[in-house]
Amino acid sequence: MGELTITPGSACQGCGAALAARLAFKALGSNVIRHGIPCCPDSTTKTPRFSTVFEGGGAQLTGTSRGLKAIGREDVMAVGFYGDGGTYDIGFQGLSAAAERNENIMVITKDNEAYMNTGNQRSGATPKYARTSTNPVGPRSRGKPRPKKNIPFIFAAHYVPYVGTASVGFPEDLISKVNYMKTIKGFRMLIIQSPCPVGWRYDPAKTIEIARASVQSGIWPLYEIMDGKTFKLNYKPKELKPVTEYLTPQARFRHMTEEEVADIQETATASWENLLKADEMGRLII
Ligand SMILES: Cc1ncc(C[n+]2csc(CCOP(=O)(O)OP(=O)(O)O)c2C)c(N)n1
């Protein structure tokens, strides 16, 4: 037999999650055991993938990390690269338990805001008003009725060493966060907003533009929370862009009324003001 060939994974045109994988694993380097749970194919990196069921993600990472410690190979990192469904919902319990035990693991979430692999069903990460295959738009449904779950704050409230948010539209920030995570021990999580042209319904050429508008409008701010208390906002524009710059190019929001857009604008502005205050104090009270 010849040498091991790794088949490049497939991904849709303009896939934000594939870009998140490339950037994250490039920064991580080769001293990594990558763990996966069911999600869209994003294995455009050469890192081999060790897979389990959704609910087993936190336990499998824990086992690898403890096994590595037992054989004296703490130089190798146990990294889970999971979808939002796997992090916010189906795999949440095991990850929460691993966070609470402060396992020496890294969880990187490519957040495309729905169960994309199975056909754009809503997840806990889907934002309010987004149309998904399970949140239709019609006389009795305005898309998803509930807001996106605040998973970075939920994990920060486990008082773990590191929780960060990142975006494929800000690759340098993303890479510097991965590099920082490599220098510390304990439970570390990075949630990367990763636009999906198929589910969000926009021109695949606009992935980066949409990712940037999300951060620039305060919909997906870039920040870090250390030990559940130290807070740092990493991108602070003088003025936020209106949320319409983010919403309008995406057909999943096309049905929204002016009042619904105003609702999103108000939430984004209020939450941004809160984050600015926390950044000024360098501290978050959870
Ligand atoms: C317990 C369980 N429930 C449901 C499924 C079916 N399933 C496979 S992939 C997937 C969607 C995953 O969504 P996400 O984690 O957001 O990743 P994405 O596909 O968006 O990359 C689902 C629901 C499953 N494999 N196991």
Side-chain angles (χ1 to χ4, degrees):
M1 294 287 282
E3 58 183 64
L4 175 72
T5 332
I6 296 158
T7 330
S10 56
C12 304
Q13 262 188 18
C15 173
L19 187 55
R22 287 171 74 111
L23 292 168
F25 286 97
K26 189 170 176 117
L28 283 166
S30 53
N31 252 3
V32 161
I33 301 180
R34 174 178 177 170
H35 295 65
I37 48 182
C39 60
C40 280
D42 56 45
S43 35
T44 49
T45 63
K46 287 194 173 167
T47 323
R49 188 170 181 268
F50 178 30
S51 291
T52 185
V53 292
F54 275 111
E55 301 84 342
Q60 193 191 47
L61 279 171
T62 300
T64 301
S65 156
R66 291 190 183 196
L68 286 166
K69 185 174 182 197
I71 60 169
R73 289 301 308 269
E74 282 179 274
D75 56 315
V76 180
M77 296 168 283
V79 180
F81 192 75
Y82 303 152
D84 49 283
T87 308
Y88 286 65
D89 304 332
I90 323 177
F92 176 76
Q93 179 197 346
L95 290 178
S96 167
E100 191 272 329
R101 296 190 305 265
N102 193 24
E103 297 292 343
N104 187 28
I105 61 178
M106 222 188 271
V107 176
I108 303 183
T109 300
K110 46 163 181 137
D111 185 353
N112 57 19
E113 304 191 330
Y115 299 151
M116 293 308 181
N117 187 37
T118 42
N120 193 18
Q121 294 86 8
R122 61 87 93 187
S123 77
T126 305
K128 195 172 177 186
Y129 301 118
R131 173 192 213 134
T132 69
S133 55
T134 47
N135 300 116
V137 173
R140 285 201 251 155
S141 170
R142 304 293 310 154
K144 191 184 172 197
R146 301 278 305 147
K148 184 179 174 86
K149 201 191 257 191
N150 191 341
I151 209 79
F153 275 52
I154 292 169
F155 275 95
H158 290 65
Y159 307 100
V160 291
Y162 187 86
V163 177
T165 62
S167 161
V168 294
F170 288 78
E172 282 145 8
D173 173 81
L174 189 162
I175 287 170
S176 78
K177 284 172 176 164
V178 174
N179 282 338
Y180 175 70
M181 291 200 296
K182 283 163 75 175
T183 67
I184 58 171
K185 294 237 181 275
F187 188 95
R188 290 146 286 168
M189 173 177 261
L190 188 66
I191 301 129
I192 309 174
Q193 197 196 29
S194 309
C196 167
V198 179
W200 299 12
R201 299 166 64 214
Y202 63 83
D203 171 0
K206 291 196 171 161
T207 294
I208 298 300
E209 220 172 281
I210 286 175
R212 290 185 71 80
S214 181
V215 174
Q216 291 163 338
S217 62
I219 294 263
W220 184 254
L222 303 180
Y223 57 79
E224 295 167 298
I225 308 170
M226 270 75 85
D227 303 312
K229 56 175 191 246
T230 308
F231 183 83
K232 192 167 180 229
L233 205 46
N234 310 108
Y235 177 79
K236 286 185 277 182
K238 282 209 181 79
E239 233 178 275
L240 290 182
K241 286 189 171 172
V243 294
T244 43
E245 292 212 13
Y246 174 66
L247 302 175
T248 310
Q250 303 177 54
R252 66 175 172 157
F253 297 121
R254 191 181 284 158
H255 58 283
M256 285 173 70
T257 61
E258 268 180 37
E259 290 73 30
E260 287 164 349
V261 171
D263 175 22
I264 296 300
Q265 184 63 69
E266 199 187 309
T267 310
T269 311
S271 126
W272 180 252
E273 277 162 16
N274 254 345
L275 296 184
L276 278 178
K277 274 186 219 144
D279 182 63
E280 213 172 286
M281 291 191 296
R283 188 128 208 212
L284 201 66
I285 317 288
I286 296 184

